[in-house]
Amino acid sequence: MTPASRNLWIELAACGAFLIGLIFFLVAGYYTAMFTIHGMLPNEPPIQVGKAVFGRRDLLVAVLSASVPGAAAVAAAWGLLRSLLAEEESGDE
Amino acid sequence: MKLTKVIAFLLCLATLAGVMFCGFVAFTGPRFFPDTVPTFPPFDKLSQGCLGLLMFVCILPFLLVPGGAGLALWLFVVRKQEAADDLEARAAPVREGSFQSRLDALTTRLLERGDDVTALTAEIPIWTRDLDVPRQNRLLHLLAECRVDGSGCGGTSPVTVRPAETEWSRWATRALDLGLFAVATFCALWGALVAYSFLGSNLGKNLPAVYDPLAAAAYGSGTCLTFGLAALLGGLVLRWMIRREERRRRQLAAARQQARDLFLASCQRRIERLLPEGDRSSAQTKAVAERIARAHLISTLPELDGPSKGKLIAWLHAGDFLSRLALAGVDLRGAALSATDLSGANLAGVDLSDAILDGVRLVQADLRGSRLQGADLRAADAAGADLRDADLRQARMHRCNLRQADLRGANLRGANLWQADLTGAEGTREISA
């Protein structure tokens, strides 16, 4: 594998990681939006998940469950691109 | 870092993570979830601690297999390779010193023989005795340049370049190290989230009644934290390995540089001896000495890196040796000559492809027919230089001073002449805008 093709694969992996992170953030945003909209509706029954009533704390758990992996994926993408940049800079020196 | 080392590390890390995880599950599972404990004989008589220990002991041999393989790889392959590399690098200056002494003796012999070197062919086995293959080839290269026929010499196998072992790039090793720390962070956060979800939110109520939310939280977060801890330990160990590797690489590079410096100094000393200032010997003797000096130079250059080549050329020019040694066809590819003063130097026909010549002074230099393909000539001062028929394809010549330079017949295809000063230069009509 040549350096150029290796860098291409790394950039593709970074883009893929970024997209995956974005999807996770969208899911987290979806939970938040649905909960907020549900709260604004008059006389709506409480959201039930199994035996548990889905409250704010449960929303926090759901949002964090989606956004922590999303943040990890975005951080991975950033780290990959940053290290490519650092390698290019050290190669130029 | 070599790939075998990284594989050994990953195998050991897999064992560590497996042992920690299975240990945690084996010893805490029966305690936190007593209804999962088997109730059939003989297990029903065992305490929870004993049961956990039994489970752990049964699975432990399988977990130790990758770790054992990693340790074996480390002890029998990696350490041997490192010891061999260290020995070779440390012995390099000593071996180079004795080889240079042999070259000095050979130079004296060549001077004695003068133009009649046919008799030296029979002496080649003596000169190449006990030398390793690369040094044998260097010596034979020197003799070939001195017109000594060494082609029929036995015992000198052609240089077989051992394929370099896959070098796991520094970038990939650092990425693996950061990845382990990232996994550790992620596991820590996820473990905290699991604990909070069972204890702080209503989701814990979805558990069957027999399960204690506190136990479930501890168990769930504990499994995440176990992996996180294994990843953290792995990251710390890998960082330590990277630092050790960097230290070792610096030591080996210093040893190799010492051998190279010795090589360079010996070559310079020999050229000074062959071409003394104010030499009053006959024209024939001078011609022989110049041929031998040129042979030394040509056989030395392939062994040098870019900065060393640059040092040698700068030294040759400062000592006015360049005018006496015909360098046409000499390989100076990649030579580092930044900001060096080579005014008036005779570099006709020299191969300076990809050389680093930024800021170099080449005023009135003779570069006819030289190859400067891809060379870095940014801000070089080549006023009045003779660049006829020079190959300057893809050369970087931003802000290069080419006033009054002779560029007739020069190939400038793809050369970057942004802000270059071509005032009065000849042959500029052929240069496309």
Side-chain angles (χ1 to χ4, degrees):
Chain A
M1 191 183 275
T2 62
S5 60
R6 186 205 70 178
N7 289 352
L8 180 64
W9 280 114
I10 289 167
E11 288 191 22
L12 283 172
C15 283
F18 181 74
L19 284 171
I20 289 169
L22 201 61
I23 290 168
F24 274 113
F25 280 126
L26 284 173
V27 168
Y30 171 78
Y31 286 145
T32 314
M34 285 296 111
F35 187 79
T36 309
I37 291 167
H38 188 87
M40 289 192 312
L41 296 171
N43 299 325
E44 281 295 319
I47 304 170
Q48 200 125 359
V49 176
K51 292 180 225 166
V53 174
F54 198 83
R56 280 188 193 166
R57 288 185 183 183
D58 311 295
L59 172 67
L60 181 63
V61 169
V63 165
L64 285 175
S65 301
S67 52
V68 165
V74 168
W78 178 83
L80 279 170
L81 292 174
R82 191 85 183 89
S83 60
L84 261 186
L85 200 63
E87 195 185 350
E88 277 178 23
E89 283 171 3
S90 65
D92 284 345
E93 279 170 15
Chain B
M1 196 181 289
K2 292 206 163 56
L3 188 58
T4 42
K5 208 184 258 189
V6 176
I7 290 172
F9 164 76
L10 288 173
L11 287 171
C12 292
L13 182 62
T15 288
L16 176 69
V19 165
M20 287 174 70
F21 179 74
C22 290
F24 179 79
V25 168
F27 287 107
T28 59
R31 287 177 196 283
F32 288 141
F33 306 106
D35 65 322
T36 60
V37 169
T39 53
F40 47 86
F43 301 109
D44 55 341
K45 292 192 170 48
L46 291 174
S47 67
Q48 288 170 347
C50 284
L51 197 61
L53 183 63
L54 183 65
M55 281 165 56
F56 185 67
V57 165
C58 287
I59 204 165
L60 189 63
F62 300 100
L63 294 173
L64 290 177
V65 165
L71 264 177
L73 198 60
W74 185 275
L75 290 170
F76 297 114
V77 178
V78 172
R79 282 186 66 179
K80 262 193 183 173
Q81 282 173 350
E82 284 187 350
D85 289 345
D86 287 349
L87 191 65
E88 196 183 314
R90 290 202 174 98
V94 173
R95 281 199 207 133
E96 193 61 39
S98 68
F99 179 64
Q100 294 301 325
S101 304
R102 194 177 291 200
L103 286 181
D104 286 338
L106 180 58
T107 305
T108 308
R109 187 83 180 107
L110 284 165
L111 275 172
E112 283 168 10
R113 297 302 307 181
D115 280 326
D116 180 21
V117 292
T118 48
L120 284 175
T121 307
E123 292 176 22
I124 289 175
I126 302 168
W127 292 110
T128 56
R129 192 173 50 202
D130 298 331
L131 287 181
D132 53 14
V133 171
R135 289 189 172 88
Q136 278 186 12
N137 282 294
R138 279 159 63 181
L139 196 137
L140 288 173
H141 186 191
L142 168 69
L143 290 172
E145 290 293 330
C146 293
R147 302 180 202 158
V148 176
D149 182 17
S151 54
C153 176
T156 308
S157 53
V159 175
T160 49
V161 178
R162 193 180 57 175
E165 183 170 346
T166 310
E167 186 79 17
W168 190 262
S169 69
R170 285 182 209 179
W171 175 89
T173 316
R174 289 207 175 102
L176 178 63
D177 184 43
L178 284 174
L180 286 170
F181 283 122
V183 165
T185 308
F186 178 78
C187 288
L189 288 173
W190 197 259
L193 179 65
V194 165
Y196 178 75
S197 68
F198 280 119
L199 296 173
S201 72
N202 291 331
L203 292 172
K205 291 179 186 164
N206 282 325
L207 287 173
V210 294
Y211 292 134
D212 177 22
L214 182 63
Y219 187 75
S221 58
T223 49
C224 291
L225 292 172
T226 308
F227 272 124
L229 188 62
L232 179 68
L233 288 171
L236 289 171
V237 168
L238 188 59
R239 185 152 288 197
W240 172 79
M241 282 169 64
I242 289 171
R243 286 210 179 127
R244 184 171 163 267
E245 185 73 16
E246 288 292 319
R247 212 168 26 240
R248 198 175 143 265
R249 199 193 296 264
R250 274 197 300 269
Q251 285 170 355
L252 293 177
R256 285 195 195 106
Q257 185 61 36
Q258 198 183 350
R260 222 179 285 133
D261 288 344
L262 176 63
F263 186 41
L264 184 61
S266 302
C267 179
Q268 288 172 338
R269 182 175 38 80
R270 225 169 276 127
I271 290 176
E272 270 179 338
R273 184 184 139 208
L274 287 165
L275 305 174
E277 216 175 302
D279 187 10
R280 292 188 184 183
S281 44
S282 65
Q284 189 185 3
T285 310
K286 275 189 195 174
V288 167
E290 282 169 10
R291 189 175 68 234
I292 297 170
R294 185 174 187 274
H296 274 295
L297 186 64
I298 289 174
S299 61
T300 300
L301 283 169
E303 307 301 321
L304 301 178
D305 57 2
S308 300
K309 280 184 189 174
K311 261 191 226 170
L312 184 55
I313 295 301
W315 177 82
L316 286 171
H317 178 61
D320 198 28
F321 295 115
L322 281 183
S323 54
R324 299 171 66 181
L325 297 169
L327 292 188
V330 164
D331 178 7
L332 288 175
R333 282 176 294 177
L337 286 156
S338 298
T340 310
D341 187 357
L342 292 172
S343 304
N346 178 7
L347 295 166
V350 168
D351 186 356
L352 280 161
S353 305
D354 300 315
I356 302 165
L357 296 158
D358 57 302
V360 72
R361 274 181 60 84
L362 288 165
V363 177
Q364 306 285 338
D366 184 358
L367 288 154
R368 279 173 297 163
S370 59
R371 291 191 60 187
L372 288 153
Q373 197 174 344
D376 182 1
L377 284 153
R378 287 176 292 173
D381 184 2
D386 189 350
L387 285 155
R388 281 178 286 170
D389 301 318
D391 182 357
L392 287 156
R393 284 176 290 171
Q394 309 293 334
R396 289 188 280 176
M397 300 169 77
H398 328 153
R399 301 187 304 277
C400 189
N401 181 6
L402 291 163
R403 282 173 172 257
Q404 313 290 335
D406 193 343
L407 290 159
R408 285 175 290 176
N411 187 348
L412 285 154
R413 185 173 299 167
N416 191 336
L417 287 157
W418 181 70
Q419 289 194 346
D421 186 355
L422 291 159
T423 313
E426 292 188 55
T428 51
R429 278 193 196 160
E430 289 85 20
I431 299 169
S432 57

